[in-house]
Amino acid sequence: MGALITVVIPTRNEAGQIDACISHLGWTDDIVVVDGGSTDGTVAVAHAAGARVITDGPRGIGEQRNSGIAVARHEWVFALDADERIGPELAQELLAVTAGGAAGMHEAYRVKRRNTFHGRVVRRGHWGNDWVVRFARREFRYGGSPVHPGLQGLRDVGTLTQQLDHTPYRDLSHHVEKLIAYGQMSASALAQRGRRARWSDVALRPAAHFWREYLLRGGFLDGKIGLIQAAMGAIGGFLKYAFLWEQE
């Protein structure tokens, strides 16, 4: 019998890695893939790997996760992305949480992501201190930012000790592609709230981000990877407000 945990995975064109993602989840009997309109065979691969698959068109990550949570068979849900892996140590900790009974149990748990770029783990900067709340009772739903949605209404969040492995980009070109997509999504969300781009958003905010990541948060200690990540973060901020400016 699998663990009493449902794993929900939102996807869109993840045929290249969804099988590997699911193959790490043999400890649970309920895996739900919520596909957002893939055209590369993701749905077929996920089915073949043993997941339940929901296919109802392009939507945001938060909405996809919520659809998966709504059909979860178990009380506890882990919201996993296709580029993340739950290793055996983290899996054992999740099992221990659900087996511990109600006493002392939190309603949700945060986990630190171990971010890898070009084969190297990033130790510093934003990516070196990256915490996400992904493990929670199925009564909670995601909302907020369309790019980085969070669980809403949480009052009691515990902390897991093991880390979640995350390889967000295949290479630099893939990183740039994601920055453009995230920038466009974020700009649209800001425009819907009536936000307008200021000169300082485009000219000063990206520079401040770079120096904060590279110097204040110690990115320079990660060598060229730290430099690249600080620079790419600044570029991402520039693109977000440049796209917003373009919409005005």
Side-chain angles (χ1 to χ4, degrees), residues 2-114:
L4 298 180
I5 298 170
T6 293
V7 177
V8 172
I9 311 170
T11 59
R12 189 169 188 273
N13 293 332
E14 297 287 2
Q17 60 181 352
I18 189 60
D19 182 71
C21 180
I22 294 173
S23 69
H24 285 73
L25 303 174
W27 46 269
T28 180
D29 64 357
D30 192 29
I31 302 167
V32 182
V33 169
V34 185
D35 191 71
S38 292
T39 57
D40 67 346
T42 297
V43 170
V45 175
H47 269 303
R52 290 193 285 148
V53 182
I54 298 173
T55 56
D56 52 4
R59 291 174 301 148
I61 294 174
E63 294 173 300
Q64 288 176 267
R65 288 177 179 165
N66 290 342
S67 291
I69 295 170
V71 299
R73 293 173 179 162
H74 300 308
E75 176 66 21
W76 285 88
V77 176
F78 195 103
L80 185 69
D81 287 342
D83 57 9
E84 298 170 339
R85 303 290 182 267
I86 297 176
E89 295 84 5
L90 177 57
Q92 287 300 314
E93 186 172 15
L94 298 176
L95 296 175
V97 167
T98 59
M105 186 180 289
H106 302 282
E107 61 188 14
Y109 289 83
R110 67 175 191 156
V111 61
K112 186 177 183 180
R113 292 199 292 188
R114 183 188 293 113

